[in-house]
């Protein structure tokens, strides 16, 4: 049986979809069978980030409503044989997701895939709670910024109360994925540090994704960043995170401060 | 921009950290309200089996300190309407 992961954050725009695509691809690059599921009904974007927007025929809502069979709605990635996408519906609203329907789809997917990665919509409404409901593991995507940290704290509270695991009295496994981290700014005291966020949220760290142009470049191209440029700093960080998800013990590598010539001249100031 | 301001500008991250710590301590206390509201509903249901109570007149409060938590339940039971009319 596959493992179900929810990628969630509360706040929008922190990198849930980017991280879903990157982690999904990174796991598939290890030859594991992966399906990424877009739960953002009405505002789907995972298809676009994955570069599959023109291949969407059926979606999650079609499957739940019985208009399409599950295999018909799955889109196989053109680059990775073991990576699949189940898109969200763009035209209907989130009320079309029924708890029973979602449960059925997740259970079916678990039978065929090693990893079912659910890309949660922003917010704490129905779509978000349905996306997290069946998860075995949660990846909480957070930016080192006050509003994102606050919303993550809220989501952690929901993960501990509204999921099936929590309701059964089990402990929900939660991991922090800190995205858009700028080591230089943190060093200067202008951005929350990794330790600050970890101390405040008190969940274990899955990875630190450095702020990088490569992320936008990858989404422009319609490729997960781990595929678009596998040697870029964010891709390496996602590979590391994926290995940790898969249970390997990998020491966290701190993103290095990137200093330009100007930064080098003034580097003493920071010390 | 004055070059000296660049050097004197206060570090903002410590302030962010402190604000978050204070805020989240409050919000976490408030979100245990979830538990409180469940308790409230269930307590209300039990009492309502035996006496008529007004849902608005039931107050459940949880105070948490380091060593213990105090659960305070305050139920107002209205007078019998027949009695009240008399």
């Amino acid at each position: 049986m596959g493992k179900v992961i929810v990628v969630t954050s509360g706040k929008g725009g922190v990198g849930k979809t980017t991280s879903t695509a990157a982690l999904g691809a990174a796991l598939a690059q290890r030859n594991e069978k992966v399906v990424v599921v877009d739960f953002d009904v009405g505002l789907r974007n995972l298809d676009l980030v994955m570069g599959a927007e023109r291949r969407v025929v059926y979606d999650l809502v079609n499957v739940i409503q019985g208009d399409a069979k599950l295999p018909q709605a799955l889109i196989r990635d053109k680059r990775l044989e073991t990576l699949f996408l189940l898109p969200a519906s763009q035209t209907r609203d989130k009320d079309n997701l029924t708890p029973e329907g979602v449960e059925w789809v997740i259970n079916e997917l678990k039978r065929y895939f090693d990893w079912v990665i659910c890309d949660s919509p922003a917010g704490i409404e129905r779509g978000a709670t349905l996306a997290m409901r069946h998860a075995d593991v949660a990846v909480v995507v957070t930016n080192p910024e006050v509003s994102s940290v606050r919303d993550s704290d809220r989501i952690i509270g929901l993960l501990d109360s509204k999921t099936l695991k929590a309701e059964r009295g089990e402990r929900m496994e939660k991991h922090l994925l800190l995205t858009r981290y700028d080591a230089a700014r943190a060093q200067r005291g202008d951005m929350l540090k990794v330790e600050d966020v970890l101390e405040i949220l008190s969940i274990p760290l899955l990875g630190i994704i450095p702020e990088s142009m490569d992320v936008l470049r990858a989404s422009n191209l319609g490729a997960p960043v781990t595929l678009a440029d596998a040697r870029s700093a964010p891709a390496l960080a996602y590979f590391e995170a994926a290995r940790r998800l898969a249970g390997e013990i990998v020491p966290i590598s701190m993103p290095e401060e990137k200093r330009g010539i100007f930064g080098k001249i003034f580097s003493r100031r920071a010390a | 921009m004055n070059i000296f301001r660049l050097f004197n500008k206060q570090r903002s991250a410590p302030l962010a950290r402190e604000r978050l710590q204070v805020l989240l301590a409050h919000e976490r206390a408030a979100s245990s309200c979830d538990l409180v509201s469940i308790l409230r509903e269930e307590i209300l249901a039990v009492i309502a089996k035996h006496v008529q109570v007004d849902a608005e007149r039931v107050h459940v409060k949880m105070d948490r300190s380091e060593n213990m938590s105090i659960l305070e339940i305050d139920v107002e039971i209205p007078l019998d309407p027949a009695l009240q009319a008399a």
Side-chain angles (χ1 to χ4, degrees), chain A residues 225-250:
Chain A
V225 69
T226 48
L227 277 173
D229 185 354
R231 289 190 307 177
S232 64
L236 294 175
Y238 277 119
F239 282 127
E240 252 190 33
R243 286 172 60 195
R244 274 183 215 109
L245 264 184
E248 285 182 41
I249 295 163
V250 188

Side-chain angles (χ1 to χ4, degrees), chain A residues 42 84-85 97 117 130 157 159-160 177 216 238 250:
Chain A
F84 288 77
L85 162 71
L97 289 183
I117 308 184
L130 275 175
L159 287 165
D160 286 333
L177 188 64
L216 179 60
Y238 277 119
V250 188

Side-chain angles (χ1 to χ4, degrees), chain A residues 145-146 149-150 153 161-162 188-192 196 199-201 266 269, chain B residues 6-7 10-14 16-17 19-21 23-24 27-28 31 34:
Chain A
E145 179 269 330
V146 285
V149 175
R150 178 198 212 173
D153 189 73
S161 60
K162 301 273 156 133
R188 283 202 304 269
D190 289 332
M191 181 182 266
L192 288 167
D196 293 335
E199 191 193 325
I200 292 167
L201 295 177
F266 288 95
R269 221 188 78 215
Chain B
L6 191 78
F7 288 90
Q10 231 197 337
R11 308 278 175 252
S12 58
R17 184 191 141 105
R19 288 175 59 219
L20 272 171
Q21 278 171 331
L23 174 73
L24 294 182
E27 288 191 341
R28 283 173 194 156
S31 78
D34 243 16

Side-chain angles (χ1 to χ4, degrees), chain B:
Chain B
M1 193 171 123
N2 187 338
I3 187 87
F4 292 107
R5 254 200 80 196
L6 191 78
F7 288 90
N8 289 331
K9 221 189 237 173
Q10 231 197 337
R11 308 278 175 252
S12 58
L15 188 61
R17 184 191 141 105
E18 198 185 306
R19 288 175 59 219
L20 272 171
Q21 278 171 331
V22 172
L23 174 73
L24 294 182
H26 270 95
E27 288 191 341
R28 283 173 194 156
S31 78
S32 63
C33 278
D34 243 16
L35 170 67
V36 170
S37 71
I38 293 168
L39 282 173
R40 190 176 171 280
E41 260 168 53
E42 293 190 1
I43 290 167
L44 183 67
V46 171
I47 297 173
K49 269 200 266 184
H50 306 283
V51 256
Q52 231 183 5
V53 281
D54 183 351
E56 300 297 311
R57 300 285 169 87
V58 178
H59 301 284
V60 177
K61 211 176 109 192
M62 177 105 86
D63 271 325
R64 282 197 184 163
S65 59
E66 256 178 59
N67 298 320
M68 61 169 171
S69 301
I70 298 172
L71 179 66
E72 226 177 275
I73 305 166
D74 184 359
V75 186
E76 241 177 79
I77 299 174
L79 280 175
D80 199 296
L83 266 171
Q84 221 165 11

Side-chain angles (χ1 to χ4, degrees), chain A:
Chain A
M1 285 287 260
K3 221 172 193 183
V4 183
I5 296 185
V6 61
V7 179
T8 186
S9 71
K11 191 177 182 306
V14 296
K16 283 182 296 297
T17 302
T18 303
S19 297
T20 303
L23 288 174
L27 286 166
Q29 280 162 287
R30 297 163 51 100
N31 279 324
E32 304 194 46
K33 279 185 276 176
V34 180
V35 61
V36 289
V37 186
D38 194 345
F39 270 82
D40 205 345
V41 174
L43 289 170
R44 77 168 174 226
N45 274 320
L46 189 54
D47 55 332
L48 196 53
V49 170
M50 305 265 301
E53 71 276 11
R54 292 169 64 181
R55 298 167 61 207
V56 176
V57 182
Y58 294 112
D59 56 55
L60 177 61
V61 172
N62 290 139
V63 174
I64 286 178
Q65 296 190 328
D67 301 331
K69 298 236 163 63
L70 184 53
Q72 289 180 295
L74 291 174
I75 303 169
R76 185 197 288 263
D77 189 88
K78 286 216 161 132
R79 298 145 296 206
L80 292 170
E81 277 220 316
T82 57
L83 179 61
F84 288 77
L85 162 71
L86 180 55
S89 156
Q90 182 69 328
T91 51
R92 314 191 201 197
D93 66 273
K94 58 186 185 302
D95 295 337
N96 290 108
L97 289 183
T98 59
E100 302 76 25
V102 170
E103 183 177 5
W104 180 84
V105 169
I106 298 282
N107 283 334
E108 278 300 293
L109 291 174
K110 268 165 81 172
R111 290 171 52 195
Y112 299 104
F113 291 96
D114 301 318
W115 300 92
V116 180
I117 308 184
C118 305
D119 183 19
S120 170
I124 51 171
E125 302 299 319
R126 195 185 154 83
T129 47
L130 275 175
M132 69 170 65
R133 181 129 189 95
H134 302 275
D136 300 305
V137 179
V139 173
V140 180
V141 183
T142 307
N143 289 169
E145 179 269 330
V146 285
S147 56
S148 173
V149 175
R150 178 198 212 173
D151 292 358
S152 292
D153 189 73
R154 190 78 196 280
I155 278 291
I156 290 169
L158 290 184
L159 287 165
D160 286 333
S161 60
K162 301 273 156 133
T163 52
L164 270 183
K165 264 199 145 178
E167 284 172 10
R168 285 197 296 250
E170 294 167 36
R171 204 184 62 86
M172 181 78 194
E173 197 183 314
K174 302 171 291 283
H175 298 277
L176 178 73
L177 188 64
L178 195 59
T179 53
R180 308 199 67 166
Y181 190 71
D182 186 327
R185 291 176 75 185
Q187 190 56 46
R188 283 202 304 269
D190 289 332
M191 181 182 266
L192 288 167
K193 288 188 180 162
V194 180
E195 306 89 272
D196 293 335
V197 182
L198 282 176
E199 191 193 325
I200 292 167
L201 295 177
S202 55
I203 56 173
L205 185 62
L206 183 70
I208 307 162
I209 314 299
E211 168 83 64
S212 164
M213 307 272 279
D214 297 309
V215 174
L216 179 60
R217 200 182 110 80
S219 80
N220 285 342
L221 299 173
V225 69
T226 48
L227 277 173
D229 185 354
R231 289 190 307 177
S232 64
L236 294 175
Y238 277 119
F239 282 127
E240 252 190 33
R243 286 172 60 195
R244 274 183 215 109
L245 264 184
E248 285 182 41
I249 295 163
V250 188
I252 301 265
S253 42
M254 289 295 293
E256 283 170 37
E257 275 182 58
K258 260 190 277 169
R259 285 208 195 109
I261 178 87
F262 189 79
K264 277 179 188 148
I265 294 169
F266 288 95
S267 61
R268 277 197 203 134
R269 221 188 78 215

